[in-house]
Amino acid sequence: TDWAHLLVTAEAATGLLVTAMITGAVFAKFARPTARVLFSDNILIGRFDGRRALRFRVANARDSHLVEAHINVTLTLAETTAEGHPFRKLYDLTLRRETSPIFSLSWSIIHFIDEDSPLFGLSAQDLEAAQATFLTTLRGTDEVLVQNVHARHAYTWADIAWDRRFVDVLSRNAQGGLRLDYTKFHETLPQSDPDGPD
């Protein structure tokens, strides 16, 4: 009958539509690149290259490289206006190097604390009183899927390690290539410790 033909047509069209939607959702889920970017547990304040600096490091735990990677660090401090109202003020920190053409292994993020830095003259007690928070965002393009990848992390004043340096994580393998030892990625040493390069 006509009603039977109409019902079969509707069933066929609905089946095709549902199948296409499920296939698209599954493909989008598995084709979407994951960031898989490691951030060091601590953010360090100490001497680097003869100057006072804030440092942390990130590592690419992906099988593919990130092209034109860019990182941004924003410091937030609890301050008070001239009228006595509390508010959070944001400062963009100037980094030694904000971009990397190819982010493949490890990347040290460095901000020199000079007269132009919002951290200049601030002690550990000052940062605690201001509830200092460091907001970091990293973005780049996956070289295989050619899609944007984003990662973010936040450090608080309690995550700051003073006058320490990171343990070196890069070494050469038997073939002469670079090897990244993730087991030491978060480890630090006192700056006075002479063992190993900084």
Side-chain angles (χ1 to χ4, degrees), residues 6-139:
L6 183 61
L7 178 61
V8 171
T9 302
E11 287 180 345
T14 303
L16 290 174
L17 181 61
V18 171
T19 301
M21 292 178 61
I22 293 176
T23 302
V26 171
F27 177 80
K29 176 65 176 179
F30 288 98
R32 182 184 306 163
T34 56
R36 295 190 62 195
V37 173
L38 296 180
F39 290 82
S40 58
D41 288 339
N42 293 107
I43 191 167
L44 312 184
I45 292 182
R47 303 293 295 180
F48 179 80
D49 201 17
R51 303 165 63 183
R52 195 74 168 165
L54 175 144
R55 292 182 296 157
F56 64 95
R57 61 186 178 187
V58 294
N60 182 13
R62 304 161 52 83
D63 294 330
S64 58
H65 299 167
L66 289 182
V67 180
E68 293 299 328
H70 179 87
I71 193 163
N72 181 72
V73 181
T74 301
L75 168 66
T76 69
L77 297 175
E79 299 184 1
T80 304
T81 65
E83 295 76 22
H85 303 299
F87 77 111
R88 300 287 294 182
K89 190 169 183 179
L90 277 65
Y91 300 90
D92 290 327
L93 299 186
T94 302
L95 305 180
R96 186 185 192 189
R97 183 164 56 90
E98 298 179 349
T99 61
S100 177
I102 295 292
F103 178 32
S104 57
L105 295 175
S106 180
W107 184 5
S108 293
I109 311 302
I110 303 168
H111 164 73
F112 288 111
I113 303 176
D114 51 22
E115 291 81 358
D116 297 325
S117 170
L119 294 169
F120 185 73
L122 297 182
S123 64
Q125 292 75 20
D126 295 331
L127 294 176
E128 180 179 0
Q131 296 294 297
T133 303
F134 302 88
L135 306 175
T136 68
T137 57
L138 185 147
R139 65 180 183 273

